[in-house]
Amino acid sequence: MRSKRVLIGVTAGIAAYKIPLLVRLLKKQGFEVRCVMTTDAKEFVTPLVLSALSENPVFSDLISDDKSWNNHVSMAEWADCFIIAPLTANTLAKMANGICDNLLMSVYFSMKGATLVAPAMDLDMYQHPTVFRNLELIEKDGVRVIPAEFGELASGLVGTGRMAEPEKIFNDINVLLFSESNSHFEGKQVLITAGPTYESIDPVRFIGNHSSGKMGFALAEVFLKKGAKVKLISGPTNLTLSHDNLDLIHVVSADDMFNEVKNYWKEQDFGVFSAAVADYRPKEVSLDKIKKKSNELSLELIKNPDILQWAGQMKTDTQFLVGFALETSNELENASLKLENKNLDCVVLNSLQDKGAGFASDTNKVTILDKRNNKTEFSLKSKYEIAEEIVLHIQEMISS
Ligand code: CTP
């Protein structure tokens, strides 16, 4: 994986003298760093210092002295995040009002990644209603504001809107670029089916299968970590999970599971159907325990609803649907048929032929096929790791 890239925009505030420290912290952590500055910022910190520490040239003009063009779009594309520090009231006003009159502003308006700002100005300025309004405006545009700090003056009054310390800015950049919650799934609704289904024969017997539910529960855990709201509809298992954003719904039969999916599918952003749903159920469920009488007993079975197929039919353009396929022969062919017939975005194929893979085990070996005709094979991994890979695959598909 390549290093994360941080672009620092330095504007003309006294706190600019602290930016070399920020560059050092970022470089030490293994980030690639570049700096752009406004012309006036050079009065507070020299481009030479920033260039030496960042090991990259520092630009401030759209056109350099040698008449070469400093491409702001490629700089913005290069960066995973842009931190403008210190942020002056002047640059803030330009951001809030779409004024693009220097290289730094051109980069800002071309940024696709996140922008953070660390304002620095004296207290009166910081509390001016215009500045306050402009900060609100840029926050509405998605800019993250790292608030200035206020300290007590010797006189006992609260003074100065001092720029957040480089360590604090460095931490916020880390959280932004690495935190689990910085994900495509924050606040999204995810429906997961898990476990086996039990189809009653009589009050004490059922038709079931060996599914443990581990895969579905691991998926729920990974989505929850990424900030999603999860509805986990699970057949009978020994597993438990609790989380503020989890709604765990216990079901027994395929019909029960289908009813719950029908209740909730419409409002979901993602569906991952890992349950091993019984394809058939007894046509009649005996109200009394079936007595052993004759030497043979036949059970008439009827087909259960295909829950995944129904979700695929109902799927809207904004919903993303993942199915599982457990195959014993012609695996790839069968799995891609499922992908197509059930209108899925991707299908996770697990083969019972792979050692260490399967229902009750803690490990699994899967291949993900997706509707872009991509095939990704994974080595034997824990079910939790597989869940992480599946979620990463979804993330990659929705962001490409
Ligand atoms: N599935 C479902 N409802 C069913 C049967 C299956 O939601 N009644 C879902 C499973 O959760 C899984 C996928 O469909 O995501 C594939 O299940 P599988 O049993 O492998 O395939 P089937 O579609 O049942 O086809 P076949 O049994 O013919 O292989």
Side-chain angles (χ1 to χ4, degrees), residues 88-361:
T88 57
N90 186 37
T91 295
L92 168 64
K94 292 183 196 177
M95 290 171 79
N97 293 288
I99 297 169
C100 186
D101 64 349
N102 59 29
L103 178 67
L104 187 146
M105 292 311 303
S106 311
V107 171
Y108 169 63
F109 288 116
S110 315
M111 265 309 284
K112 293 213 173 52
T115 298
L116 297 102
V117 295
M121 52 197 91
D122 71 46
L123 187 63
D124 294 332
M125 243 172 139
Y126 200 61
Q127 290 184 335
H128 193 283
T130 304
V131 169
F132 190 75
R133 186 194 64 207
N134 284 342
L135 280 170
E136 278 189 337
L137 280 174
I138 66 165
E139 272 188 310
K140 269 199 198 124
D141 289 341
V143 174
R144 286 152 215 248
V145 178
I146 309 173
E149 290 172 359
F150 297 94
E152 262 191 36
L153 298 175
S155 61
L157 294 171
V158 174
T160 74
R162 178 172 81 224
M163 186 183 80
E165 290 302 324
E167 288 80 3
K168 159 82 177 134
I169 300 176
F170 170 72
N171 265 339
D172 284 14
I173 292 172
N174 265 296
V175 169
L176 176 80
L177 293 180
F178 293 111
S179 93
E180 294 280 2
S181 66
N182 163 39
S183 89
H184 296 76
F185 302 105
E186 183 80 55
K188 297 282 188 220
Q189 316 255 23
V190 181
L191 184 150
I192 298 169
T193 68
T197 64
Y198 287 179
E199 310 299 327
S200 289
I201 299 171
D202 68 15
V204 293
R205 304 181 180 96
F206 60 83
I207 297 173
N209 60 63
H210 292 297
S211 167
S212 65
K214 283 177 188 159
M215 194 65 241
F217 275 69
L219 280 159
E221 255 187 277
V222 174
F223 276 112
L224 287 165
K225 250 194 165 172
K226 291 191 175 267
K229 296 194 171 116
V230 177
K231 286 233 178 302
L232 176 57
I233 304 174
S234 175
T237 72
N238 295 324
L239 305 172
T240 51
L241 188 63
S242 73
H243 190 284
D244 285 350
N245 287 336
L246 173 70
D247 185 10
L248 174 54
I249 301 168
H250 294 283
V251 294
V252 177
S253 67
D255 243 353
D256 299 342
M257 187 175 274
F258 190 31
N259 283 332
E260 295 298 343
V261 170
K262 280 197 283 192
N263 279 343
Y264 297 113
W265 176 231
K266 210 169 141 204
E267 67 219 40
Q268 303 302 315
D269 300 296
F270 300 91
V272 186
F273 286 52
S274 66
V277 184
D279 286 329
Y280 292 90
R281 68 171 182 272
K283 187 172 179 191
E284 311 278 353
V285 181
S286 169
L287 291 176
D288 291 314
K289 187 180 164 210
I290 299 172
K291 291 281 182 197
K292 58 173 178 302
K293 288 182 208 144
S294 50
N295 282 341
E296 281 178 22
L297 173 72
S298 299
L299 281 175
E300 199 178 342
L301 302 178
I302 54 165
K303 216 171 188 181
N304 267 331
D306 189 324
I307 309 170
L308 178 62
Q309 185 147 38
W310 176 87
Q313 280 162 1
M314 294 297 161
K315 191 178 77 163
T316 63
D317 288 348
T318 57
Q319 288 179 308
F320 191 103
L321 186 58
V322 183
F324 276 69
L326 183 65
E327 306 292 343
T328 49
S329 59
N330 293 336
E331 300 164 341
L332 287 174
E333 207 181 310
N334 284 335
S336 36
L337 274 177
K338 262 170 212 169
L339 179 75
E340 210 175 296
N341 295 342
K342 298 194 185 188
N343 191 25
L344 309 179
D345 294 280
C346 57
V347 65
V348 183
L349 162 68
N350 44 81
S351 155
L352 277 184
Q353 288 173 356
D354 291 314
K355 213 169 166 251
F359 269 2
S361 90

Side-chain angles (χ1 to χ4, degrees), residues 54-89:
S54 66
E55 299 176 288
N56 271 315
V58 174
F59 299 107
S60 54
D61 301 309
L62 279 161
I63 298 172
S64 297
D65 290 344
D66 63 1
K67 298 286 173 233
S68 60
W69 162 250
N70 292 322
N71 190 338
H72 54 89
V73 177
S74 65
M75 270 187 235
E77 274 175 358
W78 173 87
D80 294 310
C81 85
F82 187 30
I83 163 78
I84 305 180
L87 172 74
T88 57

